[in-house]
Amino acid sequence: MSDLSSADSVGLVIPETYRHQQPFALQCGETLEGFELVYETYGELNDQASNAVLVCHALSGHHHAAGFHEAAESRPGWWDSCIGPGKPIDTRRFYVVSLNNLGGCHGSTGPRSINPTAGTPFGPEFPLVTVSDWVRSQRLLADHLGIQQFAAVIGGSLGGMQAMQWAIDFPDRLRAAVLIASAAKLSAQNIAFNEIARQAILTDPEYHHGKYREHGVNPDIGLMLARMLGHVTYLSDDGMRQKFGRELKSGDLSLGLDVEFQVESYLHHQGRSFSKQFDANTYLLMTRALDYFDPARPYEDDLVVALSNALCKFCVISFTTDWRFSVKRSKEIVDALVEAGKNVASAVIESDHGHDSFLLPISRYFKVLSTYMNRLHREAGGAC
Amino acid sequence: MRADLAIIADLINPGARVLDLGCGEGDLLAHLQKTKQVNGYGLEIDSNNITTCIDKGVNVIEQNLDQGLDNFASDSFDMVIMTETLQSVKSPDLMLTDMLRIGEECIVTFPNFGYWRCRLYFILRGKMPVAEHLPYSWYDTPNIHLCTFRDFERLCRDKGVRIIERFVADSKHLNRPLMNLFPNFFGAIAFYRLGSGGG
């Protein structure tokens, strides 16, 4: 049961929709006639519009970051532990904007939306979107909300990549970028995991070249496998050992091929529930956006030159057991920022929870984040 | 203002790029940012210190000095500073070389094991010295490479490190006349400004 009355919850929230009614050219060369972004806001925008914080979601995230949509909702938004009154991103001070990215499947224009030129859903024909496209669409949303400059753009994993792209593409539109468990580009190993996940979906007989909805089916198995694989890579060996050990589902070994260990049952559950909620075409798009992210590329592969454009300060946080977006990846960002002479603070948080750590209320992590956010608030003269 | 901060600040040009190895709570960098508008970064591993630095607006980077400084390019800083930390790193000699690779100049401060109180303590009590500037017992001290001024200057000579300036002080960072005459006996802490090359 949800706890709406809790003093540190943002309570009931109602998603809103921003409609962009002009053509929007994408990096891939295609143009969308227009688009919609579904978003939520928490807290109040101050008179100077200086206290806005943009939260960018990761691979399977969405706009519902905090609070509840209805009293009966069993779980709050995906980052509720971090956003709310008295929490690290304190909604008594900050006006938080959280959206579902273009290509998503939670209400923003994506593969499930109607393609206006065809009159049918985009499905697999939805054009490839990149982190740059997302950031440009987010900027249009910021314009719409009257936000000239964000106090901070914050994200974990793929969300951190968006924050970095903001700093490079629109340097005067943010004062701080907070990059959590992120990377300046994916490693070959990371792309490999994404490709296995994509192949799981693409080879599911129910995928039907992306036209599964027209066939009245869903590539559940492919999505489930993709999620199960993802999940294993988001956890750490130690974390899994602690959480599941070799516990059996029932008391005795049956020496069969059915689900036997707790960890199997957990992965099945995660995979199944994901396949009910998430759109396969969106999953393919989002993993591609991850793979292609490489902000240094237009700058002759020199991240230092790419980041030289930035005017904001940075906070870079990583987690010891994260092997999907390892500490080393974050260090590369920090080193480039130092070389570029940018203001940066970095922390490496001890955690057993692998990449998933960025979503968890780990005490030192939240201490670092709230200290950083308090400082931003203070530096703005308390006006944000 | 803390006396040691003023001494170091005097050695730094306005707007310099500064790297502080083991920056603690960031007092020095905060001071240098305010008074000299430096572009400063501090390395630190203590989590409470890191939080304090973040709170002060100091550019703090979580990094263990003993794992090397390979991530910093050669000649990427004007000044690399290490205050009272050299004696606790794994390889002070390699550290010194690395500091001068990264920075045009370095400032190093450390406690003098040749200070007369240390000498007296050892001779009279036959025990590892514990003093105001060396407050630890032998078993819990982070100071695994204690040395005297003379030892350090010998190392500098062997490594071809140029001592540009030296300022000797007591444990309160004050300079007294006798110290300049017999630094290795009367000095508790020294500030060395170092450069590459020469003797």
Side-chain angles (χ1 to χ4, degrees), chain A residues 331 334-335 337-339 341-348 364 367-368 371-372 375 378-379, chain B residues 17 39 41 46-47 50-51 53-63 71-73 77:
Chain A
K331 281 189 87 68
V334 173
D335 289 344
L337 287 168
V338 171
E339 207 173 326
K342 303 300 164 189
N343 285 321
V344 53
S346 90
V348 181
R364 185 180 168 221
K367 176 88 189 151
V368 166
T371 305
Y372 194 76
R375 176 182 133 197
R378 222 173 38 234
E379 282 172 350
Chain B
R17 261 175 77 78
N39 176 219
Y41 300 88
D46 180 89
S47 55
I50 289 169
T51 311
C53 286
I54 290 175
D55 193 47
K56 281 182 183 158
V58 163
N59 290 322
V60 65
I61 291 156
E62 181 156 346
Q63 182 170 339
N71 53 322
F72 295 100
F77 284 88

Short mmCIF file of all heavy atoms in Angstrom, two decimals, chain A residues 331 334-335 337-339 341-348 364 367-368 371-372 375 378-379, chain B residues 17 39 41 46-47 50-51 53-63 71-73 77:
data_model
loop_
_atom_site.label_atom_id
_atom_site.label_comp_id
_atom_site.label_asym_id
_atom_site.label_seq_id
_atom_site.Cartn_x
_atom_site.Cartn_y
_atom_site.Cartn_z
N LYS A 331 35.91 7.58 -13.94
CA LYS A 331 37.21 8.25 -13.79
C LYS A 331 37.66 8.89 -15.10
O LYS A 331 38.28 9.94 -15.10
CB LYS A 331 38.28 7.25 -13.31
CG LYS A 331 38.19 6.97 -11.83
CD LYS A 331 39.37 6.16 -11.33
CE LYS A 331 40.54 7.02 -10.94
NZ LYS A 331 40.31 7.85 -9.76
N VAL A 334 36.00 12.13 -15.22
CA VAL A 334 36.61 13.07 -14.26
C VAL A 334 37.95 13.57 -14.79
O VAL A 334 38.23 14.78 -14.77
CB VAL A 334 36.79 12.40 -12.88
CG1 VAL A 334 37.58 13.30 -11.94
CG2 VAL A 334 35.44 12.06 -12.27
N ASP A 335 38.77 12.65 -15.29
CA ASP A 335 40.08 13.05 -15.81
C ASP A 335 39.95 14.05 -16.95
O ASP A 335 40.69 15.04 -17.02
CB ASP A 335 40.86 11.82 -16.30
CG ASP A 335 41.33 10.94 -15.14
OD1 ASP A 335 41.33 11.43 -14.00
OD2 ASP A 335 41.68 9.77 -15.38
N LEU A 337 37.47 16.07 -17.43
CA LEU A 337 36.96 17.34 -16.88
C LEU A 337 38.10 18.13 -16.23
O LEU A 337 38.18 19.36 -16.36
CB LEU A 337 35.85 17.08 -15.87
CG LEU A 337 34.51 16.64 -16.47
CD1 LEU A 337 33.57 16.12 -15.37
CD2 LEU A 337 33.85 17.79 -17.23
N VAL A 338 38.97 17.42 -15.53
CA VAL A 338 40.11 18.08 -14.89
C VAL A 338 41.02 18.68 -15.97
O VAL A 338 41.43 19.84 -15.88
CB VAL A 338 40.90 17.09 -13.99
CG1 VAL A 338 42.20 17.73 -13.51
CG2 VAL A 338 40.06 16.66 -12.81
N GLU A 339 41.28 17.89 -16.99
CA GLU A 339 42.15 18.37 -18.05
C GLU A 339 41.54 19.58 -18.75
O GLU A 339 42.25 20.50 -19.18
CB GLU A 339 42.44 17.25 -19.04
CG GLU A 339 43.78 17.45 -19.74
CD GLU A 339 44.18 16.26 -20.60
OE1 GLU A 339 43.86 15.12 -20.24
OE2 GLU A 339 44.82 16.50 -21.65
N GLY A 341 39.83 21.72 -17.30
CA GLY A 341 39.79 22.81 -16.33
C GLY A 341 38.41 23.09 -15.77
O GLY A 341 38.14 24.19 -15.26
N LYS A 342 37.51 22.08 -15.84
CA LYS A 342 36.14 22.28 -15.34
C LYS A 342 36.05 22.00 -13.85
O LYS A 342 36.84 21.23 -13.31
CB LYS A 342 35.17 21.36 -16.09
CG LYS A 342 35.18 21.54 -17.59
CD LYS A 342 34.80 22.95 -17.99
CE LYS A 342 35.17 23.23 -19.41
NZ LYS A 342 35.01 24.65 -19.76
N ASN A 343 35.05 22.59 -13.22
CA ASN A 343 34.82 22.31 -11.81
C ASN A 343 34.15 20.95 -11.67
O ASN A 343 33.11 20.70 -12.28
CB ASN A 343 33.93 23.38 -11.18
CG ASN A 343 34.70 24.67 -10.94
OD1 ASN A 343 35.86 24.63 -10.55
ND2 ASN A 343 34.07 25.79 -11.20
N VAL A 344 34.75 20.09 -10.87
CA VAL A 344 34.20 18.74 -10.72
C VAL A 344 34.46 18.20 -9.32
O VAL A 344 35.51 18.44 -8.73
CB VAL A 344 34.79 17.78 -11.79
CG1 VAL A 344 36.31 17.79 -11.79
CG2 VAL A 344 34.27 16.36 -11.62
N ALA A 345 33.47 17.50 -8.79
CA ALA A 345 33.65 16.73 -7.56
C ALA A 345 33.34 15.29 -7.90
O ALA A 345 32.42 15.03 -8.69
CB ALA A 345 32.70 17.24 -6.48
N SER A 346 34.10 14.36 -7.35
CA SER A 346 33.79 12.97 -7.64
C SER A 346 33.84 12.12 -6.39
O SER A 346 34.60 12.40 -5.46
CB SER A 346 34.78 12.41 -8.67
OG SER A 346 35.90 11.85 -8.03
N ALA A 347 33.00 11.10 -6.36
CA ALA A 347 33.00 10.18 -5.23
C ALA A 347 32.80 8.76 -5.75
O ALA A 347 32.05 8.54 -6.70
CB ALA A 347 31.89 10.53 -4.24
N VAL A 348 33.51 7.83 -5.13
CA VAL A 348 33.38 6.41 -5.47
C VAL A 348 32.72 5.74 -4.27
O VAL A 348 33.30 5.67 -3.20
CB VAL A 348 34.77 5.79 -5.74
CG1 VAL A 348 34.63 4.32 -6.13
CG2 VAL A 348 35.50 6.56 -6.84
N ARG A 364 26.00 6.70 2.04
CA ARG A 364 27.05 7.66 1.63
C ARG A 364 26.71 8.33 0.30
O ARG A 364 26.96 9.53 0.11
CB ARG A 364 28.41 6.96 1.52
CG ARG A 364 29.47 8.00 1.23
CD ARG A 364 30.87 7.52 1.10
NE ARG A 364 31.63 8.63 0.54
CZ ARG A 364 32.55 8.51 -0.39
NH1 ARG A 364 32.88 7.33 -0.85
NH2 ARG A 364 33.16 9.58 -0.85
N LYS A 367 24.35 11.01 0.96
CA LYS A 367 25.03 12.09 1.70
C LYS A 367 25.77 12.99 0.70
O LYS A 367 25.68 14.23 0.77
CB LYS A 367 26.01 11.46 2.70
CG LYS A 367 26.85 12.43 3.47
CD LYS A 367 26.13 12.86 4.73
CE LYS A 367 26.88 14.01 5.39
NZ LYS A 367 26.00 14.88 6.14
N VAL A 368 26.49 12.36 -0.21
CA VAL A 368 27.24 13.12 -1.22
C VAL A 368 26.28 13.93 -2.09
O VAL A 368 26.46 15.13 -2.31
CB VAL A 368 28.09 12.16 -2.11
CG1 VAL A 368 28.60 12.85 -3.36
CG2 VAL A 368 29.26 11.61 -1.31
N THR A 371 24.62 16.77 -0.14
CA THR A 371 25.58 17.85 0.12
C THR A 371 25.80 18.68 -1.14
O THR A 371 25.83 19.92 -1.09
CB THR A 371 26.94 17.25 0.58
OG1 THR A 371 26.72 16.41 1.69
CG2 THR A 371 27.93 18.35 0.95
N TYR A 372 25.91 17.99 -2.26
CA TYR A 372 26.12 18.70 -3.53
C TYR A 372 24.91 19.57 -3.87
O TYR A 372 25.05 20.74 -4.25
CB TYR A 372 26.39 17.69 -4.65
CG TYR A 372 26.95 18.34 -5.90
CD1 TYR A 372 28.28 18.74 -5.96
CD2 TYR A 372 26.15 18.58 -7.01
CE1 TYR A 372 28.81 19.34 -7.09
CE2 TYR A 372 26.66 19.18 -8.15
CZ TYR A 372 27.99 19.56 -8.18
OH TYR A 372 28.50 20.16 -9.31
N ARG A 375 24.66 22.59 -1.71
CA ARG A 375 25.64 23.59 -2.12
C ARG A 375 25.11 24.38 -3.33
O ARG A 375 25.23 25.61 -3.36
CB ARG A 375 26.94 22.89 -2.46
CG ARG A 375 27.99 23.81 -2.99
CD ARG A 375 29.21 23.02 -3.34
NE ARG A 375 29.73 23.37 -4.63
CZ ARG A 375 30.61 22.62 -5.31
NH1 ARG A 375 30.99 21.47 -4.81
NH2 ARG A 375 31.05 23.02 -6.46
N ARG A 378 22.73 26.78 -2.06
CA ARG A 378 23.40 27.87 -1.34
C ARG A 378 24.06 28.83 -2.31
O ARG A 378 23.99 30.05 -2.17
CB ARG A 378 24.44 27.27 -0.40
CG ARG A 378 24.48 27.91 0.96
CD ARG A 378 25.39 27.21 1.93
NE ARG A 378 26.61 26.71 1.35
CZ ARG A 378 27.00 25.44 1.45
NH1 ARG A 378 26.24 24.57 2.08
NH2 ARG A 378 28.13 25.04 0.92
N GLU A 379 24.74 28.27 -3.33
CA GLU A 379 25.45 29.12 -4.29
C GLU A 379 24.50 30.01 -5.08
O GLU A 379 24.90 31.07 -5.57
CB GLU A 379 26.27 28.24 -5.25
CG GLU A 379 27.54 27.74 -4.61
CD GLU A 379 28.28 26.70 -5.46
OE1 GLU A 379 27.71 26.24 -6.47
OE2 GLU A 379 29.39 26.36 -5.10
N ARG B 17 46.99 26.72 -12.01
CA ARG B 17 46.34 25.40 -11.94
C ARG B 17 47.05 24.61 -10.85
O ARG B 17 48.26 24.35 -10.94
CB ARG B 17 46.46 24.68 -13.28
CG ARG B 17 45.21 24.79 -14.14
CD ARG B 17 45.40 24.18 -15.50
NE ARG B 17 45.35 22.72 -15.52
CZ ARG B 17 44.24 22.00 -15.46
NH1 ARG B 17 43.08 22.60 -15.37
NH2 ARG B 17 44.27 20.68 -15.51
N ASN B 39 42.63 27.51 -10.31
CA ASN B 39 41.83 26.40 -10.82
C ASN B 39 42.39 25.17 -10.10
O ASN B 39 43.38 24.57 -10.53
CB ASN B 39 42.01 26.32 -12.35
CG ASN B 39 41.29 25.13 -12.97
OD1 ASN B 39 41.79 24.50 -13.87
ND2 ASN B 39 40.11 24.82 -12.46
N TYR B 41 42.33 21.47 -7.81
CA TYR B 41 41.72 20.15 -7.62
C TYR B 41 42.42 19.47 -6.46
O TYR B 41 43.64 19.60 -6.30
CB TYR B 41 41.89 19.28 -8.87
CG TYR B 41 41.23 19.89 -10.09
CD1 TYR B 41 41.93 20.77 -10.89
CD2 TYR B 41 39.90 19.62 -10.39
CE1 TYR B 41 41.33 21.37 -11.99
CE2 TYR B 41 39.29 20.21 -11.48
CZ TYR B 41 40.00 21.08 -12.28
OH TYR B 41 39.40 21.68 -13.35
N ASP B 46 39.34 9.95 2.15
CA ASP B 46 38.46 9.86 3.33
C ASP B 46 37.07 10.39 2.98
O ASP B 46 36.92 11.52 2.52
CB ASP B 46 39.07 10.67 4.48
CG ASP B 46 38.22 10.60 5.71
OD1 ASP B 46 38.42 9.68 6.51
OD2 ASP B 46 37.32 11.46 5.86
N SER B 47 36.06 9.56 3.22
CA SER B 47 34.72 9.92 2.76
C SER B 47 34.17 11.17 3.46
O SER B 47 33.50 11.99 2.84
CB SER B 47 33.75 8.75 2.90
OG SER B 47 33.74 8.29 4.22
N ILE B 50 35.77 14.15 1.93
CA ILE B 50 35.23 14.41 0.59
C ILE B 50 33.92 15.18 0.69
O ILE B 50 33.70 16.17 -0.01
CB ILE B 50 35.07 13.08 -0.19
CG1 ILE B 50 36.46 12.53 -0.55
CG2 ILE B 50 34.24 13.28 -1.46
CD1 ILE B 50 36.49 11.12 -1.07
N THR B 51 33.07 14.74 1.59
CA THR B 51 31.80 15.45 1.77
C THR B 51 32.04 16.90 2.20
O THR B 51 31.40 17.83 1.69
CB THR B 51 30.93 14.74 2.84
OG1 THR B 51 30.88 13.36 2.52
CG2 THR B 51 29.53 15.30 2.87
N CYS B 53 34.64 18.74 1.56
CA CYS B 53 35.13 19.47 0.39
C CYS B 53 33.99 19.85 -0.53
O CYS B 53 33.92 20.98 -1.03
CB CYS B 53 36.13 18.62 -0.39
SG CYS B 53 37.74 18.46 0.39
N ILE B 54 33.10 18.90 -0.78
CA ILE B 54 31.96 19.17 -1.68
C ILE B 54 31.15 20.33 -1.11
O ILE B 54 30.75 21.26 -1.82
CB ILE B 54 31.08 17.91 -1.85
CG1 ILE B 54 31.85 16.87 -2.67
CG2 ILE B 54 29.75 18.25 -2.53
CD1 ILE B 54 31.14 15.53 -2.82
N ASP B 55 30.96 20.29 0.20
CA ASP B 55 30.19 21.34 0.86
C ASP B 55 30.85 22.71 0.71
O ASP B 55 30.19 23.73 0.56
CB ASP B 55 30.03 20.98 2.34
CG ASP B 55 28.99 21.85 3.01
OD1 ASP B 55 27.91 22.01 2.42
OD2 ASP B 55 29.28 22.38 4.11
N LYS B 56 32.18 22.70 0.71
CA LYS B 56 32.92 23.97 0.61
C LYS B 56 33.05 24.46 -0.83
O LYS B 56 33.60 25.54 -1.07
CB LYS B 56 34.34 23.78 1.15
CG LYS B 56 34.42 23.80 2.65
CD LYS B 56 35.86 23.66 3.09
CE LYS B 56 35.91 23.60 4.61
NZ LYS B 56 37.12 22.97 5.08
N GLY B 57 32.65 23.63 -1.77
CA GLY B 57 32.79 24.04 -3.17
C GLY B 57 34.19 23.79 -3.70
O GLY B 57 34.62 24.41 -4.66
N VAL B 58 34.89 22.85 -3.05
CA VAL B 58 36.24 22.51 -3.52
C VAL B 58 36.13 21.35 -4.53
O VAL B 58 35.33 20.44 -4.36
CB VAL B 58 37.12 22.09 -2.31
CG1 VAL B 58 38.36 21.34 -2.76
CG2 VAL B 58 37.49 23.32 -1.50
N ASN B 59 36.91 21.42 -5.60
CA ASN B 59 36.93 20.35 -6.59
C ASN B 59 37.67 19.15 -6.02
O ASN B 59 38.89 19.06 -6.11
CB ASN B 59 37.64 20.80 -7.86
CG ASN B 59 36.84 21.81 -8.63
OD1 ASN B 59 35.62 21.73 -8.71
ND2 ASN B 59 37.53 22.79 -9.19
N VAL B 60 36.93 18.24 -5.42
CA VAL B 60 37.57 17.09 -4.78
C VAL B 60 37.35 15.85 -5.63
O VAL B 60 36.26 15.62 -6.16
CB VAL B 60 37.04 16.89 -3.34
CG1 VAL B 60 35.56 16.53 -3.32
CG2 VAL B 60 37.84 15.82 -2.60
N ILE B 61 38.40 15.06 -5.76
CA ILE B 61 38.33 13.84 -6.56
C ILE B 61 38.72 12.66 -5.69
O ILE B 61 39.78 12.69 -5.04
CB ILE B 61 39.27 13.96 -7.78
CG1 ILE B 61 38.69 15.01 -8.73
CG2 ILE B 61 39.43 12.62 -8.50
CD1 ILE B 61 39.71 15.63 -9.62
N GLU B 62 37.86 11.67 -5.65
CA GLU B 62 38.16 10.50 -4.81
C GLU B 62 39.20 9.65 -5.52
O GLU B 62 38.93 9.03 -6.54
CB GLU B 62 36.89 9.70 -4.53
CG GLU B 62 37.17 8.50 -3.64
CD GLU B 62 35.96 8.02 -2.86
OE1 GLU B 62 34.96 8.75 -2.79
OE2 GLU B 62 36.03 6.91 -2.33
N GLN B 63 40.39 9.64 -4.98
CA GLN B 63 41.47 8.86 -5.60
C GLN B 63 42.53 8.53 -4.56
O GLN B 63 42.95 9.38 -3.78
CB GLN B 63 42.09 9.64 -6.77
CG GLN B 63 43.18 8.86 -7.49
CD GLN B 63 43.63 9.53 -8.79
OE1 GLN B 63 42.93 10.35 -9.37
NE2 GLN B 63 44.82 9.18 -9.23
N ASN B 71 46.79 9.00 -14.25
CA ASN B 71 45.68 9.64 -14.95
C ASN B 71 45.89 11.13 -15.17
O ASN B 71 45.11 11.77 -15.86
CB ASN B 71 44.37 9.40 -14.19
CG ASN B 71 44.44 9.78 -12.73
OD1 ASN B 71 45.46 9.58 -12.08
ND2 ASN B 71 43.38 10.35 -12.20
N PHE B 72 46.97 11.69 -14.61
CA PHE B 72 47.25 13.11 -14.85
C PHE B 72 48.37 13.27 -15.87
O PHE B 72 49.43 12.65 -15.74
CB PHE B 72 47.61 13.82 -13.54
CG PHE B 72 46.47 13.85 -12.56
CD1 PHE B 72 46.41 12.95 -11.52
CD2 PHE B 72 45.43 14.75 -12.73
CE1 PHE B 72 45.33 12.94 -10.65
CE2 PHE B 72 44.34 14.76 -11.86
CZ PHE B 72 44.30 13.86 -10.82
N ALA B 73 48.10 14.08 -16.86
CA ALA B 73 49.06 14.27 -17.94
C ALA B 73 50.28 15.03 -17.43
O ALA B 73 50.21 15.78 -16.45
CB ALA B 73 48.40 15.03 -19.08
N PHE B 77 49.78 20.81 -14.61
CA PHE B 77 49.50 21.74 -13.52
C PHE B 77 50.68 22.69 -13.31
O PHE B 77 51.83 22.35 -13.62
CB PHE B 77 49.21 20.98 -12.22
CG PHE B 77 47.84 20.38 -12.20
CD1 PHE B 77 47.62 19.12 -12.72
CD2 PHE B 77 46.76 21.10 -11.70
CE1 PHE B 77 46.34 18.57 -12.74
CE2 PHE B 77 45.49 20.56 -11.70
CZ PHE B 77 45.27 19.30 -12.22
#
